[in-house]
Amino acid sequence: MYNREFIRYRSTVVIFLWVLALPFQLAAETQVTEAAVSFEELRAHAFSKSPLIASIDASYADQLGDAIDTGLLQNPELELEALYPRSYPGDRGDNEYGVSLSQPLRISDFGARQAVKELSEKAATQSQKLNLLELSQDLFLQYVRLWALKKRQDFVSSMETVAKNKAKVVAKARDKGFLGTSEVKLFQAAAARLTTVLLGLEADIAQAQSELIRLSNLELQNRPLKRPDELPVPTLEDARRRSKENPLGIRSRIELLERVAEKQSLLARQDSAPGFTPRILYEHTDEKKDYIGVGISFELPFFNRNQGEKIRTKAKERELRVRRQYLEGDGFTSQLEGLVRRAEASAKQARTYEKSVFPLFKEALSAAEHQFASGQTSVLQLWQTFGELNSANEELLELWVQAYAARSELSLILGEEL
């Protein structure tokens, strides 16, 4: 009776403690889950905290400032003059003084400069958005690289443990006279090699983390990374449409820059014409007479006819015109088709390898372990299968890095996140 009551009491206490601890366990699990960093979280943090955002904003402000300066008139000039009689044979005359207000003008002030200003402002905004897209893709590629390195580190660490265990098993078989020393050395060497690989991975991860922290300003030490999303690659027709219609697509970017260059070339030609300065004036003379007048002055373009700026803008205009012609021709269509096919094929290759190839290597090692335990295969065969699985894991992660890189390159051409 006493034992039954004691057991019931102990069970009640255990259940109570388990219920009491359950929220803390769930909270701990939630904390672990929340500790994993996704690329979306990393990008959002970078866009709000990264020093590179300040650099992009500064570059935008610089371009915007240049655009505003281009559209401004030159400052008017106010001239004041006073003359006081110092010597005179008869009566002292009145003090003489004059005031004039002049406004320097250029031919380009009547339309061309305003057009360049408006287009340059659009180009500055477009450039800012493009820089943000490029930063996003840099973040993405570094994120993928760090994710792959961490996955590789986890796998190699597990394989190192397996190699050490297999070395112990083979050593016991050697002690019993079933195997030789060379078989033991195979797995000991494999474990030692994986130890050095882990050291190299540790260095690579430290470097990748450092670069990603520099880009994002987010602390990533000992934080796991979520697997990057695998989004579908657009079709060729969709890619063509996006590259032309998207404001950040390469065609739209070149077309806008070409319009800017055309207006800048026109501006340079107009600025080669002499500027002029209309002036209004008021003057009081010693004869007690007041004069109001108008005047105008012209530059004499003997030396500076804006030759350097005309050469630069003409060359830029031609460069962008040739690039636009390429983008409208068959060459760019073929290039875009190649990028789409590469992105599709790379993603398909990585998916196929992960679903159909890599699992077979894992099954092969498992089968080899069972056969070795039952004496149906040799140590050499087990060691070779072990090495093939390790190589397959490295190749799989490299394929995913290549697939994500191909998608990122296509994203920059289309001017949008993929």
Side-chain angles (χ1 to χ4, degrees), residues 271-275 298-307:
D271 281 348
S272 65
F298 292 92
E299 289 182 349
L300 298 178
F302 289 155
F303 308 109
N304 183 359
R305 296 187 297 276
N306 210 29
Q307 300 95 321

Side-chain angles (χ1 to χ4, degrees), residues 221-240:
Q221 193 69 25
N222 300 323
R223 295 189 65 181
L225 302 182
K226 294 182 180 178
R227 179 170 179 157
D229 293 333
E230 185 191 351
L231 301 176
V233 177
T235 63
L236 178 59
E237 290 300 322
D238 191 26
R240 288 174 180 171

Side-chain angles (χ1 to χ4, degrees), residues 117-360:
K117 170 184 176 293
E118 293 174 356
L119 287 174
S120 296
E121 287 175 345
K122 291 182 180 179
T125 302
Q126 187 187 71
S127 177
Q128 182 192 38
K129 293 179 180 178
L130 181 62
N131 287 335
L132 290 173
L133 177 62
E134 290 176 348
L135 174 59
S136 175
Q137 294 308 307
D138 287 343
L139 284 167
F140 180 70
L141 291 178
Q142 289 296 331
Y143 181 92
V144 167
R145 179 170 181 264
L146 182 57
W147 167 79
L149 287 171
K150 283 179 172 288
K151 296 292 289 185
R152 178 67 179 152
Q153 184 186 45
D154 293 341
F155 184 83
V156 171
S157 179
S158 65
M159 292 296 283
E160 179 193 32
T161 301
V162 172
K164 290 179 178 179
N165 291 336
K166 291 294 181 289
K168 293 178 181 180
V169 171
V170 174
K172 290 180 180 179
R174 179 201 57 187
D175 295 341
K176 295 179 180 179
F178 298 119
L179 297 173
T181 302
S182 61
E183 285 88 348
V184 179
K185 295 299 181 182
L186 281 176
F187 276 100
Q188 288 178 341
R193 176 190 290 175
L194 292 176
T195 300
T196 61
V197 170
L198 283 173
L199 292 174
L201 286 171
E202 184 178 351
D204 291 340
I205 287 173
Q207 190 274 333
Q209 281 182 339
S210 176
E211 178 64 16
L212 201 52
I213 291 172
R214 183 187 71 83
L215 292 173
S216 65
N217 195 22
L218 178 65
E219 180 57 49
L220 297 169
Q221 193 69 25
N222 300 323
R223 295 189 65 181
L225 302 182
K226 294 182 180 178
R227 179 170 179 157
D229 293 333
E230 185 191 351
L231 301 176
V233 177
T235 63
L236 178 59
E237 290 300 322
D238 191 26
R240 288 174 180 171
R241 179 184 58 79
R242 293 187 189 185
S243 69
K244 187 173 183 179
E245 297 178 359
N246 194 311
L248 293 183
I250 189 169
R251 290 188 182 182
S252 299
R253 301 199 302 263
I254 294 301
E255 288 174 359
L256 177 57
L257 292 177
E258 185 184 17
R259 293 201 302 273
V260 173
E262 289 174 353
K263 293 299 182 182
Q264 286 177 333
S265 181
L266 173 62
L267 179 63
R269 292 195 301 271
Q270 290 187 354
D271 281 348
S272 65
F276 58 98
T277 305
R279 182 174 67 255
I280 59 174
L281 55 91
Y282 166 78
E283 183 176 338
H284 176 80
T285 68
D286 63 346
E287 299 175 349
K288 299 182 180 181
K289 294 180 180 180
D290 295 329
Y291 293 91
I292 296 178
V294 294
I296 189 169
S297 62
F298 292 92
E299 289 182 349
L300 298 178
F302 289 155
F303 308 109
N304 183 359
R305 296 187 297 276
N306 210 29
Q307 300 95 321
E309 188 64 19
K310 286 193 293 184
I311 292 174
R312 285 190 292 269
T313 56
K314 198 67 179 177
K316 189 65 176 179
E317 183 183 4
R318 181 180 180 278
E319 176 199 356
L320 292 168
R321 183 171 60 251
V322 171
R323 291 179 65 184
R324 177 182 56 79
Q325 291 172 351
Y326 168 75
L327 294 174
E328 292 176 349
D330 295 335
F332 176 70
T333 301
S334 299
Q335 178 191 359
L336 187 60
E337 181 180 0
L339 290 174
V340 172
R341 290 175 58 189
R342 177 195 171 203
E344 290 177 341
S346 298
K348 184 177 181 180
Q349 182 186 20
R351 283 195 302 269
T352 303
Y353 200 102
E354 183 173 27
K355 295 179 180 179
S356 303
V357 179
F358 186 68
L360 292 177

Side-chain angles (χ1 to χ4, degrees), residues 62-78:
D62 185 55
Q63 296 178 59
L64 189 61
D66 289 341
I68 292 174
D69 289 343
T70 300
L72 294 176
L73 291 172
Q74 299 181 73
N75 289 326
E77 298 176 358
L78 178 64

